[in-house]
Amino acid sequence: MSAFDGTQLALSQSFRFGSALAEEANRWLHIVDSPIRLTGTPVINTRLERVEEPDAILCRSNVGAMLEVMRLLEEGRRVALVGGGEALRALARAARDLKAGKRSTHPELILFDSWGELQEYAEYDPSGRDLLPLVDLVDEHGVDVILDAVDKLSVEQGAEIVVSTAHKAKGREWASVRIGEDFTEPMDQEETDENGDPLPGDIDDAEARLAYVAVTRARHRLDIGGLGWINQHPDGNPGGTHPRQEREAPSPWDTLGSAPN
């Protein structure tokens, strides 16, 4: 496509949602320095509000999705997981191998020689925060509770609610969406306030792109849920002044050069 001359055009009009959600999407486009801004469809009334019973819950990670699935099953809900439960089953089996003293080939656990090493990493290394819920769950309830939950999953057509990672939700849409709680705020461990608490850290571009995908899956109602911290984060205000690392201006095609699909 780059081998011949032509006019580059970007899709910026969304026919999925209204203006309020377009503004939320544009906040994340601003964070990744994308030159594109979306326009919503005026005839669609999309509201950003608390949604108690959404059609879908979108999580950042497989572990986050697993916790949502188990919580909903405990409430007696019929739950479907986009892509099926094999990813969770494989993660549970990998945890069982580590607990038994075996090395795992699972991509999320392959670096650990033992369960104790994983426990230490999840507990004390900021990079291990995604795995801490898995460690706590397995330590408290064992692996079988995860495998039992996977066996109770429903197919999407017969489910009351759908759980998905944001990555697997690409190209999908639902009438109402709630963002999962595992989209946690980045914190700068080296900069603290007067109380000694870490200050908000820079938002990683990859994380911002994933958040963009998550918030643009709804048609009529969006509960920003686990991304609610963005309302107080310095980078969440396009007019705010927050020091960011200097970088070259990206090409539109290196960031998010089209409307959500």
Side-chain angles (χ1 to χ4, degrees):
M1 295 293 290
S2 61
F4 58 88
D5 293 330
T7 300
Q8 292 185 347
L9 300 175
L11 298 175
S12 59
Q13 171 76 51
S14 172
F15 297 97
R16 174 183 301 143
F17 45 72
S19 300
L21 205 155
E23 290 181 11
E24 179 63 30
N26 287 335
R27 168 157 61 176
W28 296 99
L29 291 173
H30 169 81
I31 289 172
V32 298
D33 293 333
S34 171
I36 305 300
R37 294 296 181 268
L38 297 185
T39 302
T41 299
V43 296
I44 300 179
N45 179 24
T46 306
R47 304 188 303 277
L48 274 67
E49 60 188 9
R50 183 171 179 81
V51 182
E52 296 292 345
E53 296 188 0
D55 295 310
I57 299 177
L58 304 185
C59 302
R60 176 178 171 275
S61 65
N62 284 324
V63 174
M66 177 181 66
L67 294 179
E68 288 287 358
V69 164
M70 296 181 68
R71 179 183 62 80
L72 292 165
L73 288 172
E74 287 179 359
E75 296 176 359
R77 309 289 295 279
R78 295 193 307 276
V79 187
L81 182 67
V82 171
E86 190 53 41
L88 299 189
R89 186 177 284 111
L91 186 58
R93 288 171 175 166
R96 183 168 58 191
D97 286 343
L98 276 181
K99 289 277 285 184
K102 304 176 185 177
R103 285 291 300 264
S104 171
T105 59
H106 192 281
E108 294 191 50
L109 303 182
I110 194 171
L111 297 178
F112 304 101
D113 292 322
S114 67
W115 184 254
E117 188 175 294
L118 173 58
Q119 287 173 313
E120 183 176 356
Y121 173 75
E123 183 70 30
Y124 299 110
D125 193 319
S127 301
R129 61 187 173 93
D130 288 348
L131 293 173
L132 184 58
L134 171 68
V135 170
D136 289 343
L137 179 65
V138 172
D139 283 341
E140 186 173 352
H141 299 288
V143 172
D144 288 343
V145 69
I146 304 174
L147 296 174
D148 289 343
V150 171
D151 291 337
K152 294 176 182 176
L153 287 170
S154 302
V155 296
E156 285 195 46
Q157 291 79 0
E160 299 175 71
I161 187 167
V162 174
V163 175
S164 177
T165 61
H167 177 73
K168 290 182 179 177
K170 291 179 180 178
R172 304 286 299 270
E173 61 180 54
W174 293 271
S176 61
V177 170
R178 184 167 76 221
I179 305 301
E181 296 302 318
D182 60 339
F183 281 90
T184 54
E185 181 177 10
M187 305 303 293
D188 188 338
Q189 301 299 323
E190 297 182 358
E191 298 289 338
T192 58
D193 60 18
E194 62 273 11
N195 298 319
D197 297 322
L199 292 173
D202 287 336
I203 301 172
D204 181 78
D205 279 0
E207 296 290 332
R209 292 189 184 100
L210 194 64
Y212 168 86
V213 171
V215 301
T216 54
R217 299 305 95 195
R219 296 195 302 270
H220 301 297
R221 300 175 71 199
L222 172 68
D223 184 340
I224 199 169
L227 284 171
W229 52 264
I230 192 61
N231 293 321
Q232 287 76 46
H233 194 283
D235 285 352
N237 175 12
T241 56
H242 182 56
R244 295 180 59 83
Q245 294 180 346
E246 294 184 1
R247 51 191 167 182
E248 295 181 359
S251 160
W253 319 112
D254 292 336
T255 52
L256 291 165
S258 62
N261 56 29

